[in-house]
């Protein structure tokens, strides 16, 4: 499922920016949060790494959406 999610996200990366309206922006934000959660669950045995990966994913993802 994780590989499928990342493939879908890569395929639709240009469609969900904050400049595309509130519905697409909320979809893009949800996609960033799901991706961060997947990183958290993938690294759950090492809590500091999981927190760092999820935090960096959120920061970079939401930052990318803001300037997209």
């Amino acid at each position: 499922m994780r590989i499928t999610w990342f493939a879908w996200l890569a395929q639709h990366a240009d469609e969900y920016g904050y400049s595309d309206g509130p519905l697409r922006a909320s979809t893009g934000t949800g996609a960033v949060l799901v991706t961060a959660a997947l990183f958290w669950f993938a690294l759950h045995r090492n809590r500091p790494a999981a927190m760092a990966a999820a935090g960096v994913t959120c920061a970079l993802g939401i930052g990318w959406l803001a300037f997209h």
Side-chain angles (χ1 to χ4, degrees):
M1 180 184 142
R2 291 178 191 151
I3 294 171
T4 305
W5 172 256
F6 292 128
W8 178 87
L9 193 61
Q11 183 180 8
H12 297 283
D14 292 338
E15 299 177 11
Y16 300 107
Y18 290 145
S19 63
D20 295 332
L23 180 61
R24 288 186 181 240
S26 62
T27 303
T29 303
V32 168
L33 296 177
V34 168
T35 304
L38 285 176
F39 277 127
W40 179 281
F41 291 130
L43 300 170
H44 73 278
R45 293 181 186 215
N46 187 352
R47 187 178 173 109
M51 290 177 66
V56 167
T57 301
C58 282
L60 292 176
I62 292 175
W64 182 81
L65 289 172
F67 292 107
H68 172 62

